[in-house]
Amino acid sequence: MEPGKKVIIRQNPHHPGAENIVGTVTVFRPGEGFAGCDLVDVHYENPRDGKGYTMPFGMSCLGPADAGSLIALAEYYEIMAAKLRELATAASSSK
């Protein structure tokens, strides 16, 4: 977990709803968390308010931002966007 490395925030205890987003490692703090767990400070932009935050995360909250994970995340959002477009089309045609 080197500074500057990209990670996917899978679970965000600081901002519910800001999960499955990409952040950047700022500091790795081995053994500084509860019961000696490693902490990783990650900078990210909260999609709900557009503001940037740097918060500590346990390793279990983060995932790799490798090519496969990023493509899978993009596909997830593309499917979600397509479903929302369908709902919008149905809503506008039912008026």
Side-chain angles (χ1 to χ4, degrees):
M1 287 286 166
E2 305 95 36
K5 183 175 181 164
K6 300 290 186 191
V7 292
I8 298 174
I9 299 170
R10 297 290 183 193
Q11 180 183 9
N12 190 336
H14 310 291
H15 294 111
E19 292 96 14
N20 292 316
I21 59 173
V22 177
T24 304
V25 174
T26 59
V27 178
F28 177 66
R29 298 187 283 145
E32 289 190 24
F34 180 74
C37 72
D38 296 338
L39 289 180
V40 183
D41 291 355
V42 177
H43 182 79
Y44 62 95
E45 184 176 310
N46 186 332
R48 292 188 181 256
D49 64 16
K51 295 180 183 176
Y53 297 90
T54 300
M55 298 285 186
F57 289 88
M59 297 288 287
S60 63
C61 294
L62 305 174
D66 56 25
S69 296
L70 291 170
I71 289 169
L73 190 57
E75 289 172 350
Y76 166 78
Y77 283 119
E78 288 169 355
I79 291 167
M80 183 183 286
K83 289 179 181 178
L84 290 170
R85 285 186 188 95
E86 287 176 23
L87 288 172
T89 301
S92 65
S93 64
S94 67
K95 289 183 177 181

